[in-house]
Amino acid sequence: MHEPAKLLSPVRVGELELPNRMVMAPMTRSRAGENDVPSSLAVEYYRQRATAGLIITEGSQISAQGKGNPRTPGIFTDAQVEGWRKVTEAVHEEGGHIFLQLWHVGRVSHSLVQVDGTLPVAPSAIRPDGEIFTAEGLKEFEIPRALGLEEILGVVANYRRGAENAKRAGFDGVEIHGANGYLIDQFLRDGTNTRTDAYGGSVENRARFLKEVVEAVIPVFGAARTGVRLSPIFSNYSMSDSDPATTFGYAAEMLGRYGLAYLHVMQGGGEGSFDFTALKRQFGGTYIANSGYDAERAEAAIEAGDADLVSFGVPFLANPDLVERFRIGAALNQPDFTTLYEGEERGYTDYPVLVNVAA
C-alpha cells in the first residue's frame, strides 16, 4: 500500500503532541532482573522503539500481591523506580514518549508466586481455568481469596502509589490496566464478580473499583496524562460477562466524564460480536484500537473514524523500526514466538533494523 498518511500524521493526546498515531502496545516479556527491577536490556528494548508515537510499557505490578508471571517488572520499590528511570531517560533522549501500565493480576497468580505463600486475591473466590508458570513449573490456578471491603481501599491506594512512583521515574503518564482478565476486569464482569456488597451486583457497583482507581490515580499526573485499557470480549482465564455491551458501555461513559488522555481497547481475544464503534462514541474522547492491525487496516480505521490511534504489539516486538517500515512499505521481521516470555537479548533486543538489513 501507499504510505499510511493518516497513521503517520501527528496527533494531540491529552497534553502530549505525538509525531504519529502508532502506539507500542503493552507486552509482557518476562525479562526483569532481580527483585523485579527493569534490566539494562529493557533500557535498550524501549530505546530501540522510541519512534512510536507513544510507548505503553509492559504491565508493572503495583505491589508484590499484584504479581503473576515470573520476571515481570514492578513499580513499588525504590530500586524498581530507579530501573524504570533509566528506561524513560533512554526513550526521552530519542525523542519518544512513554506511559507506564499499572497492573494487578488479581486471581491470575498462585500461592507459589505470592509473598509468604498466601492465596492470590480477587473480587470473588472463583478459580480461573488454566495453568500458571511458577518456580516449580506449571501449576493449575487456585481458588483465590475474595478481598475484604477494607482491603479494597488498600489496593486502590497501591494504584495511586504506583502512579506516584511512575512520576518519580520520569514517565509521561500512566495507563491503568483494566483489561485481559486481571483484577479490574475481574471486578467489572459478572462472571468473576458475584459480590453482594457495594462492589458487586449492578453494573454501577461492579464498576466502582475501576472508578475509585481512576479517581486515585488522576491527581498524580492529571487526567490528560492518564489512560485506561479495557478488553470487552477477552475470554482467556475463563473471563465472561452476561451483557458485555451494557457493562462496557457503562464503563466507557463513566470514564468519558474524567477527560482522560485516552481509552485503549483490545478488540480481540474472544468470540462473539461487539460494537466497538459504539464504545468509542460512548467514551467520547481519544480512542486507541488494538488487536490484529496491520498498516492497511490501521489506516482504514483512522480514515473511517473508528480509531484515533492504533496500537501494535507483536509487530513492534519484532520490528524496532516499525514506523519507518510502515512509512516506506518495507517487509517486516517475523517474530520468534519461542522467545516471547523467556530468555535475554535473543528475541528481545536483537531484531534487525532496516540499516542492518540493508548492510
Side-chain angles (χ1 to χ4, degrees):
M1 66 173 290
H2 297 296
E3 178 181 317
K6 290 282 188 182
L7 184 61
L8 298 180
S9 66
V11 62
R12 184 177 180 85
V13 175
E15 296 177 348
L16 300 178
E17 297 288 347
L18 306 182
N20 59 67
R21 297 165 189 256
M22 292 177 62
V23 176
M24 178 176 163
M27 292 175 284
T28 296
R29 302 305 311 278
S30 296
R31 298 304 206 282
E34 188 176 356
N35 298 319
D36 298 332
V37 174
S39 68
S40 58
L41 282 175
V43 177
E44 178 63 10
Y45 172 71
Y46 286 110
R47 184 196 64 76
Q48 289 174 347
R49 290 155 178 80
T51 53
L54 175 65
I55 291 172
I56 305 168
T57 71
E58 62 208 282
S60 301
Q61 55 262 17
I62 57 171
S63 64
Q65 183 193 73
K67 180 177 178 176
N69 298 314
R71 296 189 66 185
T72 53
I75 190 64
F76 59 94
T77 70
D78 288 341
Q80 292 162 357
V81 170
E82 290 308 307
W84 276 123
R85 190 194 311 280
K86 295 172 185 175
V87 171
T88 63
E89 288 174 350
V91 170
H92 291 151
E93 284 171 3
E94 298 294 331
H97 301 86
I98 184 167
F99 275 32
L100 179 117
Q101 190 185 59
L102 299 169
W103 191 29
H104 190 307
V105 305
R107 68 180 190 164
V108 188
S109 186
H110 196 279
S111 57
L112 290 170
V113 177
Q114 293 290 302
V115 175
D116 298 327
T118 57
L119 285 171
V121 299
S124 303
I126 302 172
R127 183 180 70 85
D129 294 335
E131 297 177 315
I132 183 171
F133 188 78
T134 73
E136 296 181 10
L138 282 173
K139 298 287 184 180
E140 282 195 354
F141 287 115
E142 300 166 305
I143 298 175
R145 179 177 62 80
L147 283 163
L149 274 174
E150 68 288 348
E151 293 179 284
I152 292 174
L153 297 177
V155 177
V156 171
N158 285 338
Y159 275 97
R160 179 179 178 120
R161 278 192 289 272
E164 289 169 344
N165 285 338
K167 194 168 189 178
R168 288 172 53 209
F171 283 94
D172 298 301
V174 288
E175 176 176 285
I176 297 166
H177 196 348
N180 295 51
Y182 299 121
L183 186 61
I184 291 173
D185 203 16
Q186 293 160 27
F187 269 94
L188 272 175
R189 303 210 222 181
D190 59 17
T192 43
N193 183 347
T194 57
R195 300 177 74 98
T196 57
D197 58 18
Y199 292 89
S202 67
V203 64
E204 293 87 355
N205 282 0
R206 286 183 280 117
R208 187 185 305 275
F209 182 64
L210 170 61
K211 180 176 187 289
E212 291 180 353
V213 170
V214 169
E215 291 179 352
V217 169
I218 280 176
V220 180
F221 276 96
R225 290 177 180 263
T226 303
V228 172
R229 193 179 204 210
L230 299 176
S231 56
I233 64 171
F234 181 87
S235 60
N236 289 1
Y237 310 131
S238 53
M239 292 300 296
S240 67
D241 190 83
S242 62
D243 187 357
T246 297
T247 295
F248 287 92
Y250 177 86
E253 288 181 1
M254 177 189 77
L255 293 171
R257 295 194 286 269
Y258 290 103
L260 297 173
Y262 62 78
L263 178 64
H264 183 192
V265 180
M266 183 180 178
Q267 298 180 169
E271 302 298 327
S273 60
F274 188 91
D275 189 349
F276 290 102
T277 59
L279 195 73
K280 181 178 184 293
R281 289 195 303 272
Q282 287 161 329
F283 176 62
T286 298
Y287 182 95
I288 303 176
N290 169 264
S291 200
Y293 282 89
D294 57 16
E296 187 171 1
R297 283 190 61 218
E299 181 75 1
I302 294 171
E303 182 73 42
D306 293 337
D308 300 298
L309 301 91
V310 175
S311 72
F312 303 87
V314 172
F316 258 122
L317 180 155
N319 297 272
D321 54 351
L322 185 65
V323 175
E324 178 64 9
R325 287 176 189 259
F326 276 8
R327 188 183 71 79
I328 66 174
L332 301 185
N333 297 324
Q334 294 306 301
D336 176 6
F337 288 104
T338 67
T339 58
L340 288 186
Y341 306 117
E342 62 181 0
E344 300 302 330
E345 65 273 3
R346 181 169 169 263
Y348 190 54
T349 56
D350 64 347
Y351 281 104
V353 297
L354 287 170
V355 172
N356 294 341
V357 171

